[in-house]
Amino acid sequence: MSDSIPLSLQVPEPEVRPGGKPDFSGVNIPRAGTVRRPDVDASPADFRDLGYTIIRVLNRDGEAVGPWAGALNDEQALQGLRDMMKVRAFDARMLMAQRQGKTSFYMQCLGEEAISCAFQHALSPGDMNFPTYRQQGLLVAGGYPLVDMMCQIFSNERDPLHGRQLPVMYSSKDHGFFSISGNLGTQYIQAVGWAMASAIKGDTRIAAGWIGDGSTAESDFHAALVFASTYKAPVVLNIVNNQWAISTFQGIARGGSGTFAARGHGFGIPSLRVDGNDYLAVYAVAQWAIERARRNLGPTVVEYVTYRVAAHSTSDDPSAYRPKEESDAWPLGDPIERLKNYLIGKGVWSDDRHAQFAAEVEAEVLAAQKDAEKHGTLHSGGKPSVRDMFEGVYKDMPPHLRRQRQQAGV
Ligand SMILES: Cc1ncc(C[n+]2csc(CCOP(=O)(O)OP(=O)(O)O)c2C)c(N)n1
Ligand SMILES: [Mg+2]
């Protein structure tokens, strides 16, 4: 054993730390329009390369180009812009509300708005999302009332969930939005299970699972892919790669896998990568993957390449672990700006209309907030009844909870 060498562990490190110069030269970005669009029923073995590239539609000049362009008409694209602007205005107000002590906690999706907003429009009524905490765009684009979201955030007397969930952990069966669980990764096994149940029943509804880059390291992610692959579950498995998992850079969870999408290949699941800051590309790929599920062709893994512009949550300070200028250096730009430029280029939008709509949407969000605050905020006004804590969790309340409710005198 004289030639044995001391072993050492590989611990991946981010390219840059605070104070350093942001560097995304390692992110390989093909020109818009250059990645082919396979038929929905093509053999997955024939397009494995799509798990290593980035599907893009909007080019630098704001034009929609290539085989994935043309999935949306102007009115639908305008709707997308309005949805994303509403999400951003909503996030800004709720962040402020947290700073004012009206809620204990908030999570923004700044820079990632295109992903959930576009995806929601590709679904059909009855389909079910299993989201995490950064997909508020699914609800906003789906027309869920902003007031109801705010009442949940304020845990007030009109909170649809009666104060039983952490702020931002919404739930709406009618809007195809499964109750958010803070236990990340569970969304995947639940989405696959729901999709399998839909297939077993001979139903037509499909499911969508949501996970972040960091959470793909959870065993639930891998278990879900086994079941999805074996049973060809009608599910779209969305991975939002926003480069960070709180303070951990994406290279840790990705490990030796070239991309997150490539994880799907080991399970024989078709896997695509898409520019997550390109509303048109996100919609086109979502529609493609949803059609595969709907036509009983099985699951698809979709990795959205994006960047988490804001802090992880109101409890986080990213200046401790990444350069402040990193988001400005992100090469895929801002999803709202990019879609806005496209629509202006087409002659259906203008800077003036944009400014006017921004003012309108801010007024709408403010009005919703005033309405929500009438029903209370964290430290003032109406609260859910203590009795609600015991209701709606079990179908039949177990004896120990009945006893506790009696002891609480409610
Ligand atoms: C099972 C589990 N482990 C750990 C956590 C704590 N936690 C909350 S958010 C987070 C980071 C998740 O990062 P990512 O999956 O990339 O999603 P992102 O926040 O970037 O959207 C962690 C580790 C958790 N909520 N659940
Ligand atoms: Mg992340």
Side-chain angles (χ1 to χ4, degrees), residues 112 133-134 212-215 240-246 248 308:
E112 302 176 35
Y133 44 66
R134 230 181 282 285
D213 46 271
S215 305
V240 181
N241 174 8
N242 62 5
Q243 314 301 318
W244 290 96
I246 313 184
T248 304
R308 197 200 76 213

Side-chain angles (χ1 to χ4, degrees), residues 19 32 59 96 122 171 266 310 334 346 363 392 410:
N59 69 15
M96 206 186 303
S171 167
D334 177 75
K346 290 207 84 185
V410 288

Side-chain angles (χ1 to χ4, degrees), residues 254-265:
R254 181 170 47 81
S257 180
T259 64
F260 287 95
R263 293 266 188 228
H265 290 154

Side-chain angles (χ1 to χ4, degrees), residues 119-182:
F119 192 88
Q120 181 61 31
H121 283 292
L123 289 172
S124 299
D127 293 341
M128 188 61 75
N129 282 297
F130 290 76
T132 78
Y133 44 66
R134 230 181 282 285
Q135 277 85 51
Q136 50 267 55
L138 297 172
L139 285 175
V140 173
Y144 186 77
L146 299 185
V147 179
D148 289 6
M149 293 171 79
M150 289 170 174
C151 288
Q152 197 283 331
I153 292 166
F154 294 150
S155 307
N156 65 18
E157 69 190 3
R158 244 200 71 187
D159 170 3
L161 305 180
H162 309 287
R164 290 174 301 202
Q165 278 268 53
L166 190 75
V168 314
M169 304 245 167
Y170 317 104
S171 167
S172 174
K173 190 175 181 184
D174 290 346
H175 282 76
F177 193 98
F178 196 82
S179 311
I180 298 180
S181 166

Side-chain angles (χ1 to χ4, degrees), residues 290-304:
I290 288 166
E291 191 185 334
R292 283 195 82 249
R294 190 95 58 207
R295 283 173 55 182
N296 221 24
L297 295 165
T300 310
V301 167
V302 182
E303 176 185 347
Y304 303 87

